Amino acid sequence: MLPDWIETIDYHTGGEPFRIIADPPLPLPGATVAERRIRAMVDPEVEMLRKTLCFEPRGHADMYGCFVVPPDDDGADLGVLFWHKDGFSTACGHGTIALGVWAVETGMVQAPNEGRVDVTIDVPSGRVVARVHREGGQTTAVTFVNVPSFVIAENLPVRTPRGEVLVTTAFGGAVYACVDVADLGLSVVPEHLDELIAIGRGIKWDLNESDAAKHPEDERLSGIYGTIVYEKLGTDESGRLHQRNVTIFADGEVDRSPCGSGTSARVAALFADGSLGEGQTLRHTSIVGSEFLARVTETGTTAGYPSVVPAVTGTAYLTGKHSFRVDPRDNLVPGFVLR
């Protein structure tokens, strides 16, 4: 049963919302964060809580958030279950950046006035780090150091309403399908968003059950989480590789940020095709103009695939604290989604 009041702390990372429930009002049992996620997905009360905080009128079709849970062991500062309108995701880079800011601003993790501090977080896809950079007693940026990321399949032909395109799938905490917007005859701009959403959803569901969407070691991480439609912008004035993207994730949600785990997948793909080398930086711009900077920190092999450890730097800001009322007489709980 839901409580009458639910407290949340809300941030945005590059324009993408992130609603934190620091003290979930329902039990979220499990020995690990990955296990907690699987159990939460089939718990009707937890699902009611997720929908209530995500659906209208308390949220919207593109809402995103998390439940803070204990870490897997003492090696991490916290654990987290990420959620959106369609369920629980395995990874979230923009959320990890926001959690780093939140952990420091609330005093959960002590931070210096100058320098940096690591906030270590257990997520369903593994253990990640939010490296919080500080100047003058304020947080200036957060670098999300992700799990090893790698390309699964390349040059997959997929039919779209604009003809056949070639798609690469890559893992960056979740599996993404990547497609060049030039092959669609479009641009990554708000004016084309409705068509990009439809195409992104179609590519996701076409590939979702294929071998190109399978994680080689953990079936819980399989399935196409989102489609990244990217646009090549050459190099910027600083010599950095510059691309713009929109990530269509879950079932038609639009990431306003450049997508942290999606950026990790792009780093893996760009490193694999030689476009991004060690020591080079990807300037990754979103459809609303916000930006992440990303690079390769390590190379290696994961489950037989050449892999990289991406580091993605961005910022997050507090937007508000909410006390949501759940009136037991309200026949629209948990709410609705008009898309």
Side-chain angles (χ1 to χ4, degrees), residues 64 76 86 106 128 143 178 184 197 236 250:
Y64 209 107
D86 297 303
T106 59
V128 300
T143 298
C178 305
L184 298 167
I197 291 172
D236 68 7

Side-chain angles (χ1 to χ4, degrees), residues 191-202:
E191 293 79 6
H192 293 168
L193 184 57
D194 287 347
E195 194 166 1
L196 293 172
I197 291 172
I199 291 169
R201 291 175 82 179

Side-chain angles (χ1 to χ4, degrees), residues 4-9 53 58 321-326:
D4 290 345
W5 293 91
I6 305 170
E7 306 295 324
T8 76
I9 305 173
L53 291 168
R58 296 166 189 84
K321 299 180 180 181
H322 298 90
S323 293
F324 284 110
R325 168 72 166 142
V326 183

